[in-house]
Amino acid sequence: MKHSPILRLGWIILLIAVAVAQPARARDFCPDRPGIDTPPCTVEPGHLTAEMSFADWTHEATPDDITDSYLIGDLLLRYGIAEHAELRVGWTPFERNRTRDRQAGTIDSASGTGDVTLGIKRNLIDPDGKAVSVALLPSVILPTGGSAIGAGDWGAGLQVPLSMPINDLISVALTPEVDAAVNQSGHGRHFAYGTAGGVSIAPMNGVTLAIEAAVLRDDDPDGASTQAIAGAAMGIMVGRNAQLDVGSEFGLNRDAPDVHLYIGIARRF
């Protein structure tokens, strides 16, 4: 199977980082999954984390049609290259979209692989994420996916994850972002921006609950929209280096998908 030069370059950068980074002291495992917010903590140098969705389902109903989207194996790899920095590669190996027209009763479906996302998270304050912590997370989307699922053009974004503990059990998080999002037409980009925020609760050792919400404004030339969602998620540690998770999100306005459910795993190596 042939790969594009851009995708090969991304893997070369990751392999170089693996070769030159040196192991550091072990930190508490801090995966991105689950939830809407992105944590500011980074993977310690010399360690790799793999975070994957076993199954992911999104349902959206409008007056004209009903759409169901399924993701299998949605993957994020994070590799620590310094005490305060990590490289990130994200990829969706399989996605299927099924749309039923309410009036005609016809069904359209499409499936294929998704695009590749490359990013670097640079922590500015407390890479462990145990105290007040802030990071910068620029990323770029490479149009490597199939024509049925891929965005069709490159995109880019910047997140600024923040977290602050209230006490030993509760912490708050905020993730503002700006994006050069790909147009719905698949050609060119437009401005999108928003923020996510929430509360994380640790009711017992190894269990974390998150209650979150997000608002995203998307100024697509084919029709601007503002999505508002709320979500709840739970992560359960299995030893020191693995976590199982389950999560749900619900649309709060007509622009947002009605339901998003997922289950997955994160593992540190």
Side-chain angles (χ1 to χ4, degrees), residues 232-254:
M234 178 175 66
I236 302 175
M237 292 295 298
V238 182
R240 285 185 51 83
N241 296 305
Q243 175 190 263
L244 299 175
D245 65 72
V246 61
S248 60
E249 298 169 11
F250 302 93
L252 301 179
N253 64 356
R254 64 182 182 180

Side-chain angles (χ1 to χ4, degrees), residues 187-200:
H187 302 284
R189 283 150 296 282
H190 61 273
F191 189 50
Y193 58 95
T195 189
V199 177
S200 178

